[in-house]
Amino acid sequence: MNGRVLRIELRRSVAPWAGALVLGTSLAFLYLVNAAWWNGTTAWTAQWTSMALWTRALLFYLWPLAVGLGALQGLRDHRSKMSELLTTTPRPAWHRAAALAGTTAVTLASAFALLVLVGGVQVLAHPDYTHLGWLPISLVGALFLVAGAVLGMGAGRALPSVLTPPALAMGAFVFTALLNSTLGRTQTTTAEGFDITEPNQVSLLSPAVGEVRNVLVTLSASVHVGQTIWLLGMAATGFALLVAATPRTRLIALTPVLAGAALALLVLPSDPRRMYVVDKAAAEPVCDGPVCVTRTHQARLADLAGPGKDALRLLHGALGGQAPVSVREDTAVLPDGSTPQWSRETVLLDFDDDIVAAAKGEELTRALIAKGMVPGCTPVGWTSVGGDLYAQTVAAGWVLGDLKALPGTLPAGLRREVDAETRPVWKELKALPRAEQLSRINAMRAAALSCEGDAFEALNGGASR
């Protein structure tokens, strides 16, 4: 397809409007809705992989839109009543189909590329870790839009009705929603007895990806390969439907998409831990003495090193040989609902943790002491305010000699509640002989690190409050 044909097709088709709609609605959604893609280390403008995954997440509604717009494009010859006339021309049907599909494909791919470019320019403003591992995620996303549009064109040509575009768009949306809910999720029970749902193999046929919760997580290579096979089959079926002229050839045209789905399911991983994997290069440690962060957050090491070393020194002064000896960014990726796993020798930190994220300087030292004493046993993916926060507050106060609220974004009422719960326990603890204080602190740490028992209750001598 040369430039002249492309320009003619752009003037005659809905392709420019499709590209503008995809780009415009995406940017409006990202910039006008204050949601998870703007928060923490996984913000869509913070890191390359997060940017690629968040833009892929938009395909939840962009892909059905592309399918519906493709079907509208496929109705063009039928609306102009030129179908019979075009069949009498010497030009092969696949030539016309290639011009029609190619124009829309170029437009949609360009619109998605511009969306990625907008995010990429902002990521470049603060590049902690530059890599190309995000590129397959975005390329497969663009291929989803192209394949969906071509499939819609073929369906519109095969079923020339004014109801076809909205029906296909709604069907694609329902298909995507089911793959991201009931059909694409498997209910399991964690070792701790919590019922959770995890993505299964079928969910990977969906254009969208899950919510980005960890900056170190990316899609595995087998996911990219399997989805590419599925999409090539989808595009082949769409193109075959565009050139098919009889009911028999239209039925045969369904073969590529069915074969592509079957082959894709053979390639796609079935274990959730092989779908979303840790980027090992991004998780490599970058250290300043005993304080380490991942390569992804290496720019934060300068601000963390001083408070981290101070926290280790103060913990050693309070706990002696039982104190942790290093501070490291937590790189473990555990299933939702599972109990966190902690080390007695290492203070593991998460830059998205409410206490750590809100702290700087001396406050960061207090936050690291609190995390070193009581890491927190809230199941992964859950949020709670209670015993762990109370124990962290008292423990940090015990090490530093004064009771203060931990850094964070708790409302004033909840801060007063925390103070009311913790101050009597802190005063009682400080009034005890040193040996008894250490006994309670050790009991608290044993409960906190094993996530067995109540750390705050141990500080209160085991009495229920």
Side-chain angles (χ1 to χ4, degrees):
M1 183 172 60
N2 56 40
R4 179 173 175 273
V5 173
L6 177 61
R7 288 192 297 272
I8 292 173
E9 284 293 334
L10 285 174
R11 289 196 300 267
R12 297 177 60 228
S13 69
V14 299
W17 297 103
L21 192 59
V22 165
L23 180 61
T25 56
S26 300
L27 292 176
F29 200 74
L30 286 170
Y31 280 97
L32 298 181
V33 179
N34 185 16
W37 50 80
W38 283 113
N39 300 323
T41 61
T42 58
W44 83 290
T45 57
Q47 298 289 344
W48 289 104
T49 301
S50 300
M51 181 273 296
L53 289 171
W54 278 123
T55 50
R56 271 286 298 273
L58 295 178
L59 294 184
F60 186 89
Y61 78 90
L62 289 181
W63 186 72
L65 183 64
V67 173
L69 291 170
L72 184 63
Q73 180 80 316
L75 292 178
R76 186 181 67 183
D77 293 344
H78 176 74
R79 293 198 310 269
S80 59
K81 301 180 181 179
M82 294 177 57
S83 300
E84 293 184 5
L85 174 62
L86 292 174
T87 57
T88 63
T89 61
R91 187 183 181 190
W94 70 268
H95 279 196
R96 296 192 302 274
L100 182 67
T103 303
T104 303
V106 168
T107 305
L108 289 175
S110 299
F112 192 75
L114 285 174
L115 174 64
V116 172
L117 180 62
V118 170
V121 168
Q122 296 176 85
V123 173
L124 279 173
H126 38 78
D128 290 351
Y129 171 52
T130 302
H131 62 104
L132 294 177
W134 61 273
L135 196 55
I137 302 173
S138 295
L139 290 176
V140 173
L143 185 56
F144 258 110
L145 288 177
V146 170
V150 174
L151 181 65
M153 289 180 208
R157 179 69 62 85
L159 302 169
S161 167
V162 69
L163 298 177
T164 298
L168 279 179
M170 183 56 66
F173 180 78
V174 171
F175 173 77
T176 305
L178 289 176
L179 288 184
N180 285 274
S181 55
T182 54
L183 292 181
R185 309 288 297 186
T186 301
Q187 183 169 325
T188 59
T189 302
T190 66
E192 296 77 19
F194 296 108
D195 291 331
I196 61 172
T197 62
E198 293 184 303
N200 59 33
Q201 200 173 23
V202 178
S203 71
L204 297 175
L205 298 179
S206 167
V209 296
E211 183 177 331
V212 186
R213 294 184 178 177
N214 191 309
V215 72
L216 301 177
V217 170
T218 186
L219 291 172
S220 66
S222 56
V223 172
H224 300 319
V225 173
Q227 290 181 336
T228 300
I229 293 172
W230 155 239
L231 293 173
L232 291 176
M234 186 189 301
T237 287
F239 192 79
L241 287 172
L242 273 175
V243 300
T246 64
R248 182 172 179 272
T249 54
R250 286 169 184 154
L251 284 175
I252 295 175
L254 298 177
T255 303
V257 70
L258 297 176
L263 289 174
L265 290 174
L266 293 176
V267 174
L268 293 170
S270 56
D271 185 352
R273 278 152 288 281
R274 292 177 53 229
M275 300 175 189
Y276 294 89
V277 296
V278 174
D279 183 341
K280 294 182 179 179
E284 287 180 357
V286 179
C287 300
D288 182 346
V291 181
C292 299
V293 298
T294 62
R295 285 186 63 193
T296 299
H297 294 134
Q298 56 190 338
R300 298 191 178 209
L301 181 58
D303 294 331
L304 179 68
K309 293 173 183 177
D310 288 342
L312 292 176
R313 175 178 54 80
L314 291 166
L315 284 168
H316 184 267
L319 299 174
Q322 298 295 318
V325 295
S326 63
V327 175
R328 293 180 180 271
E329 183 177 354
D330 191 2
T331 59
V333 178
L334 301 175
D336 282 357
S338 58
T339 299
Q341 299 173 2
W342 305 116
S343 167
R344 182 177 292 274
E345 298 181 352
T346 304
V347 179
L348 295 175
L349 70 100
D350 179 357
F351 285 111
D352 283 327
D353 183 274
D354 289 341
I355 297 175
V356 175
K360 292 182 180 179
E362 292 183 359
E363 282 195 335
L364 182 54
T365 299
R366 181 178 289 270
L368 292 174
I369 290 172
K371 299 299 291 186
M373 296 289 278
V374 184
C377 292
T378 302
V380 176
W382 295 24
T383 57
S384 67
V385 176
D388 282 343
L389 178 60
Y390 301 158
Q392 287 171 339
T393 304
V394 174
W398 179 79
V399 172
L400 294 171
D402 61 338
L403 186 69
K404 290 184 180 179
L406 294 174
T409 57
L410 291 177
L414 198 51
R415 281 178 177 268
R416 287 192 294 270
E417 178 184 329
V418 172
D419 185 72
E421 289 286 336
T422 57
R423 190 163 295 278
V425 176
W426 182 74
K427 289 180 178 179
E428 179 183 338
L429 180 66
K430 294 293 287 184
L432 295 173
R434 180 67 180 178
E436 181 62 22
Q437 291 181 32
L438 281 173
S439 175
R440 291 196 182 187
I441 288 293
N442 288 332
M444 175 208 70
R445 291 195 73 215
L449 292 170
S450 66
C451 290
E452 296 178 0
D454 190 311
F456 187 56
E457 190 173 301
L459 273 179
N460 196 32
S464 176
R465 289 181 62 83

